[in-house]
């Protein structure tokens, strides 16, 4: 609905619309209520009671609580909860997420009945504090804050000091007896309001925020002889700040043609609308896509009485974590700025001090903070990330939430909290996001290489791990260049506009900002390597250079950063595997010497006790298999035999086989491949040491194996001793319009049975060879791309014939299974027939997704992002199984397959097998195992345990 037509609606109609909408959003919540009412009144159809749109909190009492995150957002729910448990929270109220949904569905209009509820809440706050909103004597000021269900750090906008104008500011001067403070509040308010509500923002081509440009301008007028970066905001005195107010207002008028609004109520309406509207700004949308946050959730708006960290040196604003979010160590971690308002700390305008130093500067407030730290963990049973302000020595709590942390920290905190009896071991398993385990496996710098590396600066360690890449100074460029190779995003400080560049970069390096700056926060969440606040760096955006200690690095040159130590190195430094990889795979580190490994192993041990799914791996070579087994794999779920042919001169025999136009020629080529295959399989069986291996028969994309250029064809013809025309002709005969649906999978083995026969023989001969060494071997032969029972029958018979022959030749018994990959819809639908022959099914969800959705994975890049933007498809179906479509087909196949063969073995071997949401689906479908690439095995183990826990709950 357009804004105009919206305005035309009569009040009554708007009310009706609002009711309809709120009903839709919280259907279940309202259902119970409606039922009761209906029963009491004896009516069949009672109207639900009008929605409560505003929830109050203050003075130890609150309408909501910590569980109401969907309705009040995370921030609102926890402000209510902290109020309840007696923490010092300034009073305020939360406007629900339902209003946001309504707002954005109705041309950005607020429902009328909100006014009365807001007014009532304001009166309550005025009473508690003895101040008046818009009062000239003792003005009440508000913070207007967004807050969605899941925290979206820095994504939404906050407005502080709302309620100030040319008159009320004088009231603030009077009650505070501090003119500088009052005008500092006022200029900040205009700045934030101008940015967030009136849209005065950096324009394309500008490198700095327009308000900051005005501040810099004034600073250089006042202190003409000092370098700008050394002049702190706190050096601006009252009259300078008055001047700033005038210049800010002029800037707004110049840029928007409108005046800054002076009526506090108009300011409040504008601010509430802007917060609701910011739910749909670009950076919020990008963030939601990355973290799969549904658009319909909406944000709440929190309107809260201001407390002031900028009244002088007895005041400060800060953020803190109850434990170190980078390492997980149980230390009080955080930072604060004296004489500042909160945004300064997060925005990295000044580099803040570590929270420990507060002990000396404000001992009383520090003790209170330590108490709060302990009671928060005791109450929430989780590491908390909280925001506080000290106003003239008195502590106020402004926010708390479960702290984002690195994977390393997540594991350590979970394990240590069990030891401290804050949680039990099952909670520990449930709590670590399975995906984050990959961070424990990411590389660190190679010890030798780093000794010789040239350290050029040190910053704060904000996102652990090692990263090396070409430096770029703006997000767009970083994003573009990341396609060509590894990049580091280097910024003075980052802001939410940089999100895309941060996503694309290997690592992030900033010159300013602390460990709770935007860069640090976002990097930790994304699992990016990050060093922030490296003060020695001088970045020149215009010229694209970074200078430090007399050296200059241009954009495009290499730097390396260590997000665990905070160090910055010149050039490209070699990286080495993580401690866990060193313990398990390299065997270069003793398990006892690595606490990180110890925590990891503990958590994995707990997970293994809970999970029902087995975890296998997709691996094609003995060394990959060995790695996967070290990571806990219980077998190979998919060995793709075609990958074995890419190595060395095997490709020639492979090409010879494909190009052969007679059975005899083909058999000759195939015979050359047999010994290679046999030794590969033997290596895999040895690495498995008794665990099962599902080996898929050849499923080559033929065109990938063929020489395409004339030179390659000439070369091959020479090697094969045939005329080049023959090769060229055969290549063009084999050309396919749609290779994905072409001559592949079992079709190949059916038309050329000698290929399948060779593979079967290689597997069985290898099995016998390894069995003789005293190692158990469990081959499971998998026929790909089956859609018809007959296809499988033909291939299975061939396998059994070869097995019988090899058995007899060697005078040994062979144990093996023959099954199929379920990867086209017809196989799912006819699974009852196929199960007559198949001893196992393994869902090949990559192809099953392609064929079910009719979407080529390799070609989907041109439309899939847009589809996700439009929410036609919520998640990339090639990363997370499309539960309703592909998942339903899997369910059908399982039901039908089991009808024929109740004990049929069921697995999945698409890359989905290592993705937590898909693992959960597989658990619920009752599969026997999931299979994924070696480095995702730990993730799958944890995800499988979490699925079992969720199922039991
Ligand atoms: P974000 O979600 O981006 O963290 P917040 O709503 O938490 O945004 O606000 C940002 C900063 O504004 C906080 O760090 C806090 O210091 C400051 N702030 C928020 N509410 C108040 C308040 N009532 N009084 C003083 N400062 C506040
Ligand atoms: Mg903010
Ligand atoms: Mg906050």
């Amino acid at each position: 609905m357009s804004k105009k037509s919206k305005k035309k609606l009569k009040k009554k109609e708007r009310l009706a619309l609002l009711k309809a909408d709120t009903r839709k959003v919280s259907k279940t919540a309202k259902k119970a209520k409606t039922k009761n009412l209906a029963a009491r009144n004896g009516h069949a159809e009672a109207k639900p009671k009008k929605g409560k749109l505003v929830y109050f909190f203050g003075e130890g009492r609150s309408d909501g609580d910590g569980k109401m995150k969907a309705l009040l957002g995370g921030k609102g729910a926890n402000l209510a909860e902290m109020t309840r448990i007696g923490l010092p929270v300034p009073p305020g109220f939360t406007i629900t997420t339902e209003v946001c949904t309504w707002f954005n569905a109705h041309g950005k209009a607020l429902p009328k009945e909100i006014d009365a509820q807001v007014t009532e809440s304001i009166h309550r706050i005025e009473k508690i504090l003895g101040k008046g909103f818009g009062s000239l004597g003792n003005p009440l000021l508000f913070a207007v804050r967004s807050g969605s269900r899941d925290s979206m750090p820095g994504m939404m906008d906050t407005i502080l000091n709302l309620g100030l104008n040319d008159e009320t500011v004088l009231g603030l001067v009077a009650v505070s007896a501090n003119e500088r403070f009052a005008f500092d509040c006022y200029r900040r308010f205009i700045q934030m309001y101008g940015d967030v509500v009136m849209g005065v923002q950096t324009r394309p081509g500008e490198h700095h925020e327009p308000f900051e440009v005005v501040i810099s301008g004034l600073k250089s007028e006042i202190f003409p002889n000092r370098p700008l970066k050394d002049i702190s905001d706190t050096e601006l005195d009252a009259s300078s700040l008055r001047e700033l107010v005038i210049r800010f207002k002029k800037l707004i008028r110049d840029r928007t043609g409108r005046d800054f609004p002076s009526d506090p109520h108009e300011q409040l309406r504008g601010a509430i609308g802007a917060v609701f509207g910011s739910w749909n700004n670009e950076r919020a949308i990008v963030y939601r896509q990355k973290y799969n946050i549904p658009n319909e959730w909406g944000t709440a708006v929190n309107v809260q009485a201001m407390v002031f960290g900028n009244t002088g040196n007895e005041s400060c604003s800060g953020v803190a974590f109850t434990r170190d979010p980078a390492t997980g160590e149980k230390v009080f971690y955080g930072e604060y700025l004296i004489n500042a308002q909160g945004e300064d700390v997060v925005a990295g305008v000044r580099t803040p001090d570590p929270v420990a130093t507060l002990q000396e500067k404000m001992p009383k407030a520090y003790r209170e903070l330590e108490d709060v730290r302990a009671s928060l963990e005791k109450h929430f049973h989780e590491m908390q990330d909280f925001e506080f302000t000290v106003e003239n020595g008195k502590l106020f709590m402004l926010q708390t939430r479960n702290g984002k942390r690195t994977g390393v920290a997540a594991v350590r905190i979970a394990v240590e909290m069990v030891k401290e009896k804050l949680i039990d071991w099952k909670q520990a398993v449930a709590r670590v996001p399975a995906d984050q385990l990959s961070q424990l496996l990411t590389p660190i710098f190679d010890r030798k290489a780093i000794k010789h590396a040239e350290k050029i600066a040190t910053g704060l360690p904000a996102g652990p791990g090692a990263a090396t890449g070409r430096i770029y100074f703006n997000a767009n460029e970083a994003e573009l260049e990341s396609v060509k190779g590894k990049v580091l995003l280097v910024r003075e400080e980052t802001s939410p506009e940089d999100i895309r560049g941060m996503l694309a970069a290997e690592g992030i390096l900033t010159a300013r900002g602390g460990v709770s700056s935007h860069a640090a926060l976002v990097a930790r969440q994304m699992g990016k390597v990050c060093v922030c606040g490296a003060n020695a760096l001088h970045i020149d955006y215009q010229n694209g250079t970074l200078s430090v200690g007399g050296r200059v690095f241009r954009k495009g040159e290499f730097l390396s950063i260590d997000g665990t130590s905070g160090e910055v190195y010149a050039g490209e430094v070699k990286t080495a595997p993580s401690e866990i990889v060193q313990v398990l795979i390299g065997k270069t580190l003793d398990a006892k010497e690595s606490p990180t490994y110890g925590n990891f192993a503990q958590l994995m041990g707990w997970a293994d006790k809970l999970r029902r799914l087995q975890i296998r791996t997709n691996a094609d070579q003995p060394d990959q298999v060995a790695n996967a087994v070290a990571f806990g794999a219980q077998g190979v779920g998919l060995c793709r035999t075609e990958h074995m042919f890419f190595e060395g001169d095997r490709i020639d025999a492979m090409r010879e086989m494909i190009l052969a136009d007679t059975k005899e020629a083909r058999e000759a080529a195939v015979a050359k491949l047999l010994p290679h295959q046999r030794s590969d399989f033997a290596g895999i069986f040895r690495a498995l040491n008794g665990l099962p291996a599902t080996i898929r028969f050849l499923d080559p994309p033929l065109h990938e194996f063929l020489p395409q250029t004339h030179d390659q064809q000439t070369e091959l013809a020479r090697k094969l001793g045939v005329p080049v025309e023959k090769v060229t002709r055969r290549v063009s005969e084999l050309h396919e319009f749609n290779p994905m649906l072409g001559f592949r999978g079992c079709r190949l083995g059916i038309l050329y049975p000698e290929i399948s026969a060779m593979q079967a023989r290689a597997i069985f001969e290898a099995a016998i060879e390894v069995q003789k060494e005293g190692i158990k071997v469990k081959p499971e032969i998998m026929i790909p791309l089956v859609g018809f029972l007959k296809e499988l029958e033909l291939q299975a018979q061939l396998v059994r014939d070869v097995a019988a022959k090899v058995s007899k030749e060697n005078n040994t018994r062979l144990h093996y299974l023959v099954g199929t990959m379920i990867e086209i819809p017809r196989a799912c639908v006819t699974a009852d027939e196929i199960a007559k022959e198949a001893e196992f099914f393994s869902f090949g969800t990559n192809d099953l997704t392609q064929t079910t959705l009719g979407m080529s994975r390799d070609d989907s890049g041109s439309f899939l992002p847009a589809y996700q933007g439009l929410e036609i498809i919520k998640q990339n179906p090639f990363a997370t199984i499309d539960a309703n479509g592909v998942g339903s087909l899997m369910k059908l196949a399982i039901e039908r397959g089991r009808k024929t063969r109740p004990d049929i073995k069921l697995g999945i071997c698409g890359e989905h097998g290592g993705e937590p949401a898909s693992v959960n689906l597989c658990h619920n479908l009752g599969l026997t195992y999931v299979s994924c690439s070696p480095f995702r095995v730990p993730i799958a183990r944890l995800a499988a345990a979490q699925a079992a826990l969720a199922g039991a709950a």
Side-chain angles (χ1 to χ4, degrees):
M1 194 180 302
S2 79
K3 226 174 194 163
K4 254 192 200 151
S5 59
K6 176 78 231 81
K7 271 195 187 142
K8 276 193 208 145
L9 281 181
K10 293 204 195 74
K11 188 179 171 187
K12 241 193 199 158
E13 293 167 320
R14 290 172 55 166
L15 257 171
L17 270 174
L18 171 70
K19 279 182 188 157
D21 270 30
T22 40
R23 205 160 47 220
K24 204 164 80 201
V25 176
S26 65
K27 224 186 254 160
T28 40
K30 295 265 165 67
K31 222 185 237 161
K33 239 186 198 169
T34 316
K35 227 174 160 185
N36 283 342
L37 258 178
R40 230 185 303 134
N41 299 342
H43 298 309
E45 273 275 308
K47 283 242 162 74
K49 240 178 123 191
K50 197 175 90 177
K52 184 175 170 57
L53 308 178
V54 173
Y55 285 69
F56 181 83
F57 56 87
E59 275 207 316
R61 287 215 302 246
S62 44
D63 295 346
D65 64 41
K67 289 186 202 76
M68 300 169 74
K69 294 202 170 62
L71 188 65
L72 303 181
K75 196 180 288 169
N78 275 351
L79 282 169
E81 187 74 17
M82 284 200 293
T83 305
R84 272 169 186 263
I85 63 172
L87 295 180
V89 177
F93 55 90
T94 304
I95 306 173
T96 68
T97 54
E98 292 181 352
V99 179
C100 180
T101 307
W102 196 92
F103 177 89
N104 282 316
H106 293 84
K108 300 193 183 300
L110 285 168
K112 265 283 167 289
E113 54 276 71
I114 208 174
D115 289 347
Q117 297 185 37
V118 165
T119 308
E120 194 208 319
S121 299
I122 293 179
H123 286 325
R124 274 176 86 174
I125 299 168
E126 287 176 330
K127 231 181 181 164
I128 292 173
L129 299 176
K131 299 182 180 183
F133 188 48
S135 142
L136 307 188
N138 189 0
L140 170 62
L141 304 188
F142 283 126
V144 179
R145 320 170 59 190
S146 65
S148 64
R149 197 184 303 192
D150 271 5
S151 74
M152 294 168 60
M155 285 295 115
M156 312 292 286
D157 296 308
T158 301
I159 296 158
L160 302 180
N161 311 319
L162 185 137
L164 284 176
N165 56 36
D166 289 351
E167 281 92 45
T168 54
V169 71
L170 300 177
L172 191 60
V173 172
V175 287
S176 66
N178 185 341
E179 189 188 5
R180 188 198 176 277
F181 154 71
F183 275 90
D184 187 45
C185 291
Y186 193 18
R187 71 93 186 166
R188 285 167 187 273
F189 173 47
I190 300 173
Q191 189 171 351
M192 289 187 235
Y193 198 91
D195 170 358
V196 176
V197 184
M198 304 186 76
V200 178
Q201 288 159 3
T202 318
R203 289 173 173 164
E206 293 177 347
H207 285 287
H208 300 282
E209 292 187 352
F211 290 103
E212 293 297 335
V213 173
V214 174
I215 297 178
S216 303
L218 186 66
K219 279 181 179 170
S220 17
E221 286 171 30
I222 299 174
F223 306 103
N225 300 322
R226 289 173 52 195
L228 204 54
K229 68 171 186 55
D230 293 345
I231 310 168
S232 160
D233 290 350
T234 49
E235 293 182 60
L236 295 176
D237 63 11
S239 69
S240 312
L241 293 168
R242 266 178 195 271
E243 174 61 23
L244 213 48
V245 164
I246 294 168
R247 293 192 187 183
F248 277 0
K249 284 190 180 172
K250 180 170 180 311
L251 173 72
I252 291 178
R253 208 176 309 117
D254 289 349
R255 287 239 179 167
T256 68
R258 285 181 296 144
D259 277 324
F260 179 75
S262 60
D263 172 18
H265 291 277
E266 187 190 338
Q267 293 171 352
L268 184 58
R269 268 193 305 275
I272 292 171
V275 173
F276 281 147
S278 71
W279 178 251
N280 282 331
N281 70 26
E282 201 217 327
R283 64 197 202 218
I285 291 171
V286 170
Y287 187 93
R288 284 204 289 281
Q289 276 172 5
K290 158 101 178 142
Y291 291 99
N292 288 318
I293 297 175
N295 286 337
E296 62 263 20
W297 278 7
T299 179
V301 177
N302 300 289
V303 179
Q304 185 182 34
M306 281 297 299
V307 287
F308 301 98
N310 57 334
T311 61
N313 289 339
E314 282 305 299
S315 301
C316 69
S317 292
V319 297
F321 293 81
T322 54
R323 300 178 191 228
D324 185 333
T327 65
E329 191 184 352
K330 193 181 178 185
V331 289
F332 196 11
Y333 183 93
E335 51 197 15
Y336 68 98
L337 276 175
I338 298 260
N339 196 10
Q341 284 198 329
E343 288 289 2
D344 299 350
V345 185
V346 196
V349 176
R350 281 188 270 155
T351 299
D353 293 320
V355 78
T357 62
L358 202 59
Q359 193 163 12
E360 279 166 37
K361 292 195 180 138
M362 297 181 198
K364 192 173 146 282
Y366 183 80
R367 270 197 306 280
E368 281 178 50
L369 262 182
E370 275 282 15
D371 288 346
V372 164
R373 176 183 170 221
S375 52
L376 283 176
E377 281 208 347
K378 230 168 121 193
H379 184 75
F380 289 99
H381 303 282
E382 245 296 24
M383 188 264 262
Q384 295 292 296
D385 161 2
F386 62 95
E387 301 180 1
F388 63 92
T389 281
V390 175
E391 177 180 327
N392 297 326
K394 179 164 174 22
L395 172 72
F396 291 95
M397 292 296 293
L398 296 177
Q399 184 175 337
T400 192
R401 59 185 172 208
N402 295 341
K404 303 263 191 252
R405 62 205 79 177
T406 63
V408 178
V411 172
R412 176 166 181 180
I413 290 170
V415 171
E416 291 187 350
M417 280 194 166
V418 175
K419 285 186 202 144
E420 294 162 28
K421 299 203 162 53
L422 275 171
I423 56 173
D424 65 34
W425 65 275
K426 286 184 185 172
Q427 283 172 301
V429 169
R431 187 164 281 184
V432 177
D435 261 338
Q436 273 203 337
L437 286 184
S438 60
Q439 289 177 33
L440 273 78
L441 309 177
T442 54
I444 52 184
F445 282 125
D446 178 85
R447 276 200 206 136
K448 269 190 220 133
I450 205 72
K451 264 193 200 144
H452 302 291
E454 180 198 355
K455 188 163 96 188
I456 54 167
T458 306
L460 300 165
T468 181
R470 294 180 189 277
I471 54 173
Y472 290 95
F473 301 108
N474 80 57
N476 275 340
E477 225 172 328
E479 197 186 359
L480 288 175
E481 297 294 333
S482 71
V483 184
K484 297 178 213 156
K486 294 181 175 180
V487 308
L488 297 181
L489 178 66
V490 182
R491 300 277 302 162
E492 197 94 318
E493 63 207 277
T494 65
S495 73
E497 284 78 16
D498 296 326
I499 274 285
R500 286 174 188 280
M502 296 171 84
L503 267 172
E506 288 299 302
I508 299 148
L509 171 63
T510 68
R512 284 193 282 158
V515 288
S516 56
S517 64
H518 179 265
L521 223 65
V522 176
R524 268 202 294 278
Q525 202 173 349
M526 292 177 175
K528 295 274 174 192
V529 177
C530 177
V531 171
C532 62
N535 291 313
L537 306 181
H538 295 280
I539 299 166
D540 181 341
Y541 287 129
Q542 259 85 16
N543 294 314
T545 59
L546 173 118
S547 38
V548 53
R551 291 197 52 176
V552 178
F553 299 87
R554 326 208 118 265
K555 75 173 184 191
E557 284 183 39
F558 271 100
L559 283 189
S560 301
I561 58 173
D562 184 336
T564 313
S565 67
E567 272 141 15
V568 183
Y569 299 93
E572 195 178 3
V573 180
K574 210 174 124 203
T575 55
S578 80
E579 285 189 18
I580 286 155
V581 172
Q582 290 185 36
V583 171
L584 288 177
I585 303 218
K587 314 246 189 304
T588 48
L589 183 65
D590 186 354
K592 281 188 229 82
E593 276 172 38
S594 169
T596 307
Y597 172 77
N599 291 330
F600 168 82
Q602 174 67 268
L603 188 75
M604 285 290 114
W606 287 332
D608 290 347
K609 278 205 267 184
L610 288 168
R611 66 184 163 90
R612 185 190 52 69
L613 277 172
Q614 291 174 25
I615 312 299
R616 292 198 188 183
T617 191
N618 298 348
D620 314 320
Q621 290 163 12
D623 58 332
Q624 294 171 359
V625 173
N627 290 351
V629 171
F631 280 138
Q634 296 162 287
V636 165
L638 175 63
C639 170
R640 303 174 185 86
T641 48
E642 56 278 4
H643 287 191
M644 300 173 168
F645 295 115
F646 280 116
E647 223 175 81
D649 55 4
R650 296 182 192 185
I651 186 92
D652 294 334
M654 180 72 182
R655 284 175 168 161
E656 187 180 335
M657 178 180 88
I658 296 173
L659 291 170
D661 41 16
T662 66
K663 189 172 159 71
E664 289 68 37
R666 202 156 28 242
E667 275 174 342
V670 155
K672 292 186 198 164
L673 290 170
L674 177 70
H676 295 304
Q677 287 247 286
R678 188 172 48 219
S679 76
D680 283 342
F681 292 138
I684 288 173
F685 292 147
R686 282 189 196 101
L688 279 171
N689 197 18
L691 297 170
T694 304
I695 297 166
R696 181 180 70 183
F697 272 3
L698 198 58
D699 180 9
L702 284 182
H703 59 284
E704 278 182 29
F705 283 96
L706 288 175
Q708 299 296 349
T709 65
H710 188 74
D711 282 355
Q712 287 172 341
Q713 291 175 358
T714 315
E715 170 71 8
L716 183 70
R718 191 186 57 75
K719 279 189 183 164
L720 298 181
V722 298
V724 64
E725 292 72 32
K726 192 177 166 194
V727 174
T728 312
R729 178 164 37 85
R730 191 71 183 133
V731 169
S732 72
E733 278 170 12
L734 284 169
H735 171 77
E736 291 183 317
F737 289 102
N738 195 340
M740 186 185 110
L741 302 176
F743 186 36
R744 54 172 286 213
C746 66
R747 295 159 197 171
L748 196 75
I750 287 169
L751 266 65
Y752 303 149
E754 51 281 4
I755 299 178
S756 296
M758 176 277 286
Q759 291 206 286
R761 176 169 284 274
I763 292 170
F764 292 132
E765 288 181 355
I768 287 171
E769 179 184 326
V770 176
Q771 266 169 19
K772 276 189 193 145
E773 298 163 14
I775 298 170
K776 267 214 167 118
V777 179
K778 294 181 183 161
E780 302 173 350
I781 292 171
M782 178 155 74
I783 311 301
L785 214 74
V786 164
F788 299 85
L789 171 63
K790 186 75 195 236
E791 290 174 318
L792 184 59
E793 281 174 349
L794 286 169
Q795 290 285 289
Q797 193 50 53
L798 182 152
V799 170
R800 294 186 207 291
D801 289 347
V802 174
K805 227 189 269 170
V806 177
S807 239
K808 210 167 152 206
E809 285 162 15
N810 292 275
N811 207 6
T812 338
R813 283 166 65 97
L814 278 166
H815 300 278
Y816 63 95
L817 299 178
V818 182
T820 181
M821 199 148 160
I822 302 281
E823 52 187 332
I824 51 180
R826 194 179 196 283
C828 296
V829 177
T830 62
D832 48 346
E833 289 174 34
I834 291 175
K836 284 181 201 158
E837 190 63 58
E839 292 170 294
F840 65 87
F841 285 168
S842 175
F843 290 97
T845 47
N846 297 344
D847 270 327
L848 189 57
T849 299
Q850 298 201 90
T851 51
T852 300
L853 275 64
M855 235 179 233
S856 150
R857 178 179 53 186
D858 306 317
D859 299 318
S860 62
S862 54
F863 57 87
L864 203 52
Y867 263 46
Q868 283 179 267
L870 291 166
E871 297 199 338
I872 297 172
I873 296 179
K874 299 222 167 155
Q875 285 164 322
N876 179 347
F878 299 108
T880 303
I881 294 180
D882 157 40
N884 288 345
V886 174
S888 299
L889 272 177
M890 291 169 72
K891 186 159 177 271
L892 183 87
I894 292 166
E895 283 163 8
R896 297 198 173 167
R898 279 194 177 137
K899 225 187 277 164
T900 306
R901 193 185 288 265
D903 62 343
I904 189 162
K905 203 169 188 174
L906 300 163
I908 172 181
C909 58
E911 251 315 296
H912 296 104
E915 189 276 324
S918 307
V919 171
N920 186 56
L921 180 87
C922 293
H923 172 90
N924 292 332
L925 286 173
L927 296 193
T928 318
Y929 67 85
V930 296
S931 188
C932 57
S933 56
F935 274 67
R936 290 178 99 182
V937 167
I939 296 172
R941 283 163 77 190
L942 185 54
Q946 290 171 344
L949 271 176

